[in-house]
Amino acid sequence: MSEILLQIDGKDVKATETMTVLEAARSAGIHIPTLCHHEKLEPYGGCRLCTVEVETRGRARLVAACLFPVQPDLIVRTHTPEVDKLRKTIIELLMAHAPDSFELLDLAQEYGADRNRFDQESSFCLLCGLCVRYCNEVKQKNAIAFVDCGAKREINFIPEIASQECRDCKECFPLCPTSYLQAAYFLTEALAFPHESNAAHALTKK
Amino acid sequence: MQTANIDQIIDAHQGKPSALIHVLMEIQHVNHWLPREVLKKVSQKLEVPFNRVLQVATFYKTFSMIPKGSHEVHVCMGTTCRMRGAGELLDTVKDLIGVDVGETDADMKYSLENGSCLGCCSLGPEIIVNGKHHTRVEPSKADDVLKSYA
Ligand code: SF4
Ligand code: FES
């Protein structure tokens, strides 16, 4: 595999052909914030928090670092006033949905984002897709689905699958940047398969 | 539900995940809605995970996850139709069928939808029933249009 030389924040970075800008930056110890990215999962590009400026042949533009493949002589800037402002706005928009997410609160502090800039519309889910994709790609159980589109888009546990697979797994819980995933799971459980959980409860009590 | 027809559609595309949208459209067409059990069958036969089928079926407005009447009534609400009185027409149609937009009457005869510009601006306002355009419909004529499908 051929080696590619690029420049990130003024630093020469060696990368391999198949890497993304995010991977190259991380390998060089340069931090780019992410929300929907997960090492075990296919690149997704849902949150755009990883936006960076790239320059090729004298032209600069904004791209998602978690998706953008490295190329020779690419110049990457991970912090510019424009990039930082964009990230701040993204964080503010997400905080309209999940104002108390720890991950967002940390980011808000870093970027000086105002959690009350936009009217609150607490859906609590950021639609990062980590839960859905982890269940699909890593566990291959396909127990969670995205349903609907646009402003109505949400995640749903599929009761038929969740009742069989989720109780002993729950590996997606810690991935969620909010508590919405857990809430959605327990709601599904209570509504669709309470007996299974009661049985489990009875077992642990013995 | 026309089970035989639905099975035929699904069987014809067995093992072809890429035919998903096509299959759902055909089923929607003959059955007017996509019952969950049917989606499960589609998932099995086409070898597409059920959560993916659900995602596609809920994404597009073409598909309905709730039962629809045998006649699909659309009233165009595009700018031109609206200026030509589509608002009044829609109200009349709502009263006649007795349901709001997105709903189906108790006899499962008519489902009402609106749309933004259904493509015949010069002939508005219009009612489209099962894909057939009824043009320049005065509110007073709406009843006749609907009755022709009774
Ligand atoms: S429930 Fe959590 S992990 Fe799943 S999409 Fe929403 S925010 Fe992301
Ligand atoms: S981490 Fe790149 S878009 Fe979310």
Side-chain angles (χ1 to χ4, degrees), chain A residues 35-36 44 98 123-133 144 146 154-155 157 172-182 184:
Chain A
L35 193 73
C36 69
Y44 186 60
S123 62
F124 303 106
C125 176
L126 306 178
L127 299 174
C128 68
L130 282 171
C131 54
V132 177
R133 292 180 293 133
I144 316 171
F146 270 124
E154 59 179 31
I155 60 118
F157 277 89
C172 57
F173 282 16
L175 300 178
C176 180
T178 78
S179 318
Y180 183 75
L181 182 65
Q182 294 200 40

